[in-house]
Amino acid sequence: MSRSKLKIALAGLALGLAAHPETLRACATCYGQSDSPMAEGMTWGILSLLVVVTSVLGGIVSFFVYIAKRSSTDKVP
């Protein structure tokens, strides 16, 4: 796809989004209803993903700490 066709496609996309602004509205938290069930669900979703990412990264770090300790204590005869 050439640059001019890409520019025309992007301009058409921007025009289409500007013609239908209801599709660009923010979520319940950003839009001002912070006490809605959607906002509470989003908060729990963020917290659960944070727990998953932290546990995976903790597992990776603990593995490398284990490998480092084991390699420093092994003595080659």
Side-chain angles (χ1 to χ4, degrees):
M1 184 179 253
S2 68
R3 285 188 176 232
S4 62
K5 288 183 181 180
L6 182 62
K7 286 181 182 180
I8 292 172
L10 288 175
L13 179 65
L15 183 63
L17 289 174
H20 298 288
E22 65 271 356
T23 60
L24 299 177
R25 288 193 178 149
C27 63
T29 302
C30 302
Y31 200 61
Q33 297 176 352
S34 60
D35 59 343
S36 72
M38 181 187 282
E40 186 177 342
M42 186 175 64
T43 301
W44 280 108
I46 291 170
L47 288 175
S48 64
L49 287 174
L50 185 62
V51 166
V52 168
V53 169
T54 305
S55 64
V56 169
L57 289 176
I60 292 170
V61 168
S62 64
F63 172 72
F64 283 111
V65 167
Y66 169 76
I67 293 295
K69 284 184 179 181
R70 185 170 177 167
S71 68
S72 66
T73 59
D74 286 344
K75 295 185 179 181
V76 180

